[in-house]
Amino acid sequence: MITSILNILFVFGSVKDFGFAYTLSDYSLTKNVLIMGTNPDETIIMGPLSSGTSSNSGRMLNITAPRFVLSNVTLRKLNDDQPIISYNTDNTGTFVFQNLIFKDNNTDTKALIQPTGTENNSRIYLLNSLFHDNTALANAEMKGNFLKVFNNTIVNNSAEGIKITGIGDSWMKNNIIRGNLTTEIDDVSTGKVIVEYCNIEGGYLGALNSYDSVENFADSANDYYRLISSPGIDAGTEIFIKYDLEKISRPQNSTADIGVYEQPQNDNDADGLTNAEETTEGTNPDHPDSDADGLSDYDEINIYGTNPLLADTDNDFVADGDEPAIGMDPEVYDGICVLDMYDESFENTDRYPEGDWSQSIWGQQTTSYSGNIKLKTVGTEAFDGTRIVELQGEIPESYNISLIPRNGLEDYWIYWAFKFPRAKLPTNVNEAVNVAGGYMAINENGFLCLYDGEKEKWLVDSSESIPEGNWLNFTVHRNHSGKIVDVWVDGRAVFSNVPIFGIDLENFIRMSFSSVGEFNIQTDKFVGYPESPF
């Protein structure tokens, strides 16, 4: 989807423009490139395409060009033992990382942003960026002979706060660096790093005009890191960064705040709306997300056009805050609704008239689908009864997505019959059948495969080859808090305790199935159980 990145300039669209988050993997940039999103809330680059490798070349971008800018983007759920972005410091170059959000990434023994090369000849900027809930060696390693690390919030990560490797002029100003796993600032520079106007947990030797104090964030549990009645307000110094992460001008008062956000005047909850605006809109001036749907009141009104008092503006049973991450528009009914049928065999001709899928109850009300999907009467060839659903293997592939309400259950079991073709495993795991977070396929040798979301690789059950053209009845057990699945086939235990993969909705189970390349796939009997059927 992002092959256009070869252009010297590539500007991402917004969610309203493209309707989906971007995926990008192992892309080498040898020419100067500017990548600029509309804003981090709308432009999301996320995992995953599987690779399973361990190296210092970027999991997302490997930059060998001498000039690079990345701005106004969120990067999340990129999980591999590789940096998300690597940049080469041997050439005399400039690298700018600005207005970024890094969250929910796991690069294991590598930094999220990591240099390659032995020389420190580059100018490096890390500006106005938020890092939280990442697992890594370090959030970012800044290496060069001219470093500027300004107005960042780096908090609550299982990683070093930041690593500095500078030869000469290096400055850190207006940063909040707290609650990280190990050293907040790891300075291995040969030159002096000047630290000013920062909040650093444990303090920092030689820091000027800095302090060590817990900040009061608006709602860090829901990713709101604006300051409210907090020490960092008016504690910074004015520099060349004139806007915060949400385009609010700096400074709002006599001097700038520290961190990625500026505290607006007359805004109790720091959501970007003034108290007067909140009164006009009817929203809660003391909480940034009045309807608790995962989008701030400001974002709902000014970015998405949704109702800040209604958690599901488009009435499609998916919370406004969940929609952007799964490629949906929270203002527009996208066609995905709730599938609440827990015992279906497609035999009811009123609910499932033979022919085009759009005429069925699922097609009319409860699923997102594309391509050529048919309800067919096949007699004894069906798994249960006489009727089946067939997704025809045309280009583009046919697919169907459904959401099932979890109903507060911690554990649940899904029974579903499929007839799979033998085929090469998909490069994009999202093209495989997904039952409750477990992605499954039959490989070219006829073995059942399940995708391990933690290791990002296909697991293969080589104990039993599945005859081509056979119906298989799967039972998938999903443990919600553990985020794992167990799989049985025809009553035989095949996989256990396998980490799920992809977007994990809190109140719904996501189910999807599709044709496989040019091959058809058939499905039949579907049952949901609140308790183990065994």
Side-chain angles (χ1 to χ4, degrees), residues 420-423 425 440-444 446-449 466 472 474:
F420 284 100
R422 294 185 177 189
L425 293 175
M440 296 180 290
I442 305 294
N443 69 13
E444 293 166 301
F447 296 123
L448 177 65
C449 301
I466 297 168
L472 300 176
F474 294 89

Side-chain angles (χ1 to χ4, degrees), residues 256-267:
D257 301 342
I258 68 169
V260 294
Y261 296 114
E262 186 76 8
Q263 169 72 42
Q265 297 184 45
N266 304 314
D267 182 2

